[in-house]
Amino acid sequence: MTDTQIIKGKVKTVFTTSEPDKVLIQYEDKVTAGNGRKVDFPIGKGRVCMQISEFLFKKLEDRGIRTHYISTIPERIMSCKKVDIVPIEVVVRNVAAGSLCRQTYIEEGSSLNPPLVEFYLKDDLKDDPLLTTDRMERMGYTEMLYSELRSSAIKVNDILADIFDRIELTLVDFKLEYGHDSNGNLCLADELSPDSMRLWKRGTSESCDKDLFRKDKGDIVEVYNQIFDKLNNLP
Ligand code: TMP
């Protein structure tokens, strides 16, 4: 690839192109957990994460959610709008799991209805701390921005939860990242794959997501491919 590399993330690499408003994002055969403390390089992982992301970005676009997705280039490069990333990670939780249970007395598996929407600072050096809206305001983020993030994340949750329910998976929680495009529009960015969500087999707490890697409980590429096949075969 002759493009200029601009950012090497933990599991994706972003390249500039000759078009200033477009970037190429290469999904790497790499998985990390615990803020990069645990790492592996499973063959085929980049490709399947890109395929699932493409599928979900297209579904969201069809439902009126603006995303950075443009197209894909075989076999693990996504062409995307260049966006200025908002350094806030938006986490939506439908069922209690993960850090919510470690940090509170809420029991794993408890249903959260209405869903919990949380904001975290996107900064690995600070270990992505939980933010409050007061802190966000002090950091210069307006109420308009976090209200927009919140309402978009709730819509995304409704759409994704319904899609996963149709393949008998419960969308437990997930993380979203947003950015502003060159026209100042807020776009959903980053990726949408089982790397950034928890998916449990419906009616159980059996993981079909990156927890398999975090807890050494299975082959993520095999499970992610099964998920993609099921999504792709939806009527
Ligand atoms: P948590 O339980 O560790 O807070 O994570 C909640 C969800 O958000 C889970 O599906 C994993 C996802 N997530 C990421 O993908 N990246 C992150 O940096 C964080 C904090 C969460």
Side-chain angles (χ1 to χ4, degrees), residues 10 89-93 97-100 102 118 120 124 128 173-175 177 195-198 210 214:
K10 285 202 287 279
E89 299 186 341
V90 186
V91 169
V92 182
R93 301 179 189 271
S99 69
L100 179 66
R102 286 198 303 277
E118 299 175 328
Y120 291 82
D124 287 343
D128 295 348
D173 57 29
F174 60 97
K175 182 259 308 180
E177 291 185 27
D195 253 27
S196 53
M197 39 184 85
R198 287 195 175 88
K210 199 164 85 173
R214 290 188 187 95

Side-chain angles (χ1 to χ4, degrees), residues 105-120:
Y105 299 119
I106 302 172
E107 257 184 59
E108 182 172 278
S110 318
S111 169
L112 304 166
N113 193 10
L116 199 55
V117 180
E118 299 175 328
F119 301 104
Y120 291 82

Side-chain angles (χ1 to χ4, degrees), residues 53-92:
S53 295
E54 177 183 31
F55 180 93
L56 296 175
F57 277 130
K58 282 181 173 171
K59 291 286 180 206
L60 292 173
E61 286 276 351
D62 289 349
R63 301 282 299 273
I65 305 284
R66 198 190 301 268
T67 81
H68 72 159
Y69 170 81
I70 299 174
S71 62
T72 51
I73 303 165
E75 49 170 53
R76 55 191 174 89
I77 295 174
M78 186 177 278
S79 168
C80 293
K81 283 179 233 162
K82 186 169 190 287
V83 296
D84 237 350
I85 288 286
V86 177
I88 293 172
E89 299 186 341
V90 186
V91 169
V92 182

Side-chain angles (χ1 to χ4, degrees), residues 87-88 119-121 126-143 146:
I88 293 172
F119 301 104
Y120 291 82
L121 183 64
K126 293 187 187 292
D127 245 347
D128 295 348
L130 180 65
L131 292 173
T132 62
T133 49
D134 282 350
R135 284 186 179 188
M136 285 162 70
E137 277 175 26
R138 296 297 168 105
M139 287 166 59
Y141 297 110
T142 60
E143 186 184 345
Y146 64 74

